[in-house]
Amino acid sequence: MEQPRWDVPVVDRAEFQPALDLPPSARQNRFTVLLRLLLLIPQFIVLWLLSIVAFVVAVIGWFGALFTGRLPRFAAKWLSGFLAYDTRVYASMLLLVDRYPPFSFDASEHPVRIEVRPGEELNRLAVFFRLLLAIPAAIIQGLLQAGWWTLSVVHWLIVLITGRMPQALFEATAAVLRYRMRFQAYLMMLTSAYPKDVFGDPPNTEPQHSATRPLVLTGAAKALLVIYLVLGAASWAVGSATDEWHTGDKNPDTGDVISTLAPLRVGR
């Protein structure tokens, strides 16, 4: 992960998108695949605690960026490290890598890496309305994740049985993780570039740094992403309908809300 640099002139980085580097899909230990979520429980606990700190740092950073036009140095460094750690944990959870993530922000030896370039000048108006501007990207990110998790048991069985993630599934899952990372980087003001390139990068956009940089998707991987989006939308619709059903049906005569889950009362 590239550390923030404060000793160089600010240049136009509007087109730079935070980058994700992953190793190629390789064989994984079936035992660790079987128990992946259990093995990651300590990571989830630490990540949850760190996310509370990240929220506080991001709020302080928001005020700093609003008044100075830049994310404060300490916030940029801390949030960059948090994002890298978070991405390593999620890469393991999504079965992209078999190597256990270290409990550290700085893990240069780990195969999952990100590159962000904080410290650039930010548009104060975009900073002020950051949460509103992030809504479309949040919807896309939520749909992608919901769709992936809808098929997560299928993904898990494939990797468990074959011992590795098929290439198309690897590419689609990497695209989901990368978009999530870019969304978080934008939300935390680590970049001014709006999250994009859900369906990967055009060929030969940059020298090949890793299996996912540039991330060139096959037709099968793009089809999987479309399926994730559709399933994510369907799961959202079903969840909304279920919540409304649980909340209650409107009585047309009295207007009272009659709960469909209310327990039967015995006696009076």
Side-chain angles (χ1 to χ4, degrees), residues 58-72 124 127 189:
V59 171
I60 297 173
W62 181 83
F63 281 103
L66 188 62
F67 286 103
T68 67
R70 294 177 189 273
L71 191 63
R124 289 181 175 88
V127 170
M189 294 160 293

Side-chain angles (χ1 to χ4, degrees), residues 1 88 102 105-113:
M1 181 187 72
R88 288 192 294 269
F105 281 4
D106 185 13
S108 57
E109 75 288 347
H110 196 272
V112 178
R113 301 180 186 180

Side-chain angles (χ1 to χ4, degrees), residues 83-237:
L83 181 59
Y85 174 62
D86 175 89
T87 303
R88 288 192 294 269
V89 173
Y90 270 79
S92 179
M93 182 173 63
L94 297 181
L95 304 174
L96 286 166
V97 292
D98 194 33
R99 188 168 176 179
Y100 197 78
F103 292 93
S104 173
F105 281 4
D106 185 13
S108 57
E109 75 288 347
H110 196 272
V112 178
R113 301 180 186 180
I114 68 169
E115 181 184 352
V116 291
R117 298 176 182 176
E120 64 181 351
E121 187 172 354
L122 300 171
N123 184 306
R124 289 181 175 88
L125 192 61
V127 170
F128 184 77
F129 292 106
R130 183 60 51 121
L131 291 179
L132 289 176
L133 293 173
I135 290 176
I139 294 173
I140 295 175
Q141 185 246 356
L143 293 179
L144 286 171
Q145 287 198 143
W148 193 95
W149 281 105
T150 300
L151 296 177
S152 60
V153 174
V154 177
H155 300 157
W156 176 74
L157 285 174
I158 291 174
V159 179
L160 183 64
I161 294 171
T162 64
R164 68 184 305 155
M165 183 172 278
Q167 185 61 28
L169 179 56
F170 172 83
E171 293 173 2
T173 304
V176 172
L177 179 64
R178 189 179 73 165
Y179 194 84
R180 178 183 183 275
M181 181 270 294
R182 288 180 171 178
F183 167 73
Q184 287 188 303
Y186 179 77
L187 195 63
M188 293 188 291
M189 294 160 293
L190 291 169
T191 179
S192 60
Y194 202 80
K196 61 180 181 179
D197 296 329
V198 177
F199 292 95
D201 305 316
N204 303 319
T205 54
E206 62 176 316
Q208 194 75 39
H209 295 277
S210 66
T212 56
R213 188 176 178 193
L215 181 58
V216 181
L217 303 185
T218 60
K222 293 179 180 179
L224 273 175
L225 288 175
V226 173
I227 291 173
Y228 294 159
L229 291 170
V230 172
L231 289 177
S235 65
W236 177 84

Side-chain angles (χ1 to χ4, degrees), residues 53-83:
V53 181
F55 173 78
V56 175
V57 173
V59 171
I60 297 173
W62 181 83
F63 281 103
L66 188 62
F67 286 103
T68 67
R70 294 177 189 273
L71 191 63
R73 187 179 309 183
F74 83 93
K77 184 176 181 180
W78 202 93
L79 292 173
S80 297
F82 170 77
L83 181 59

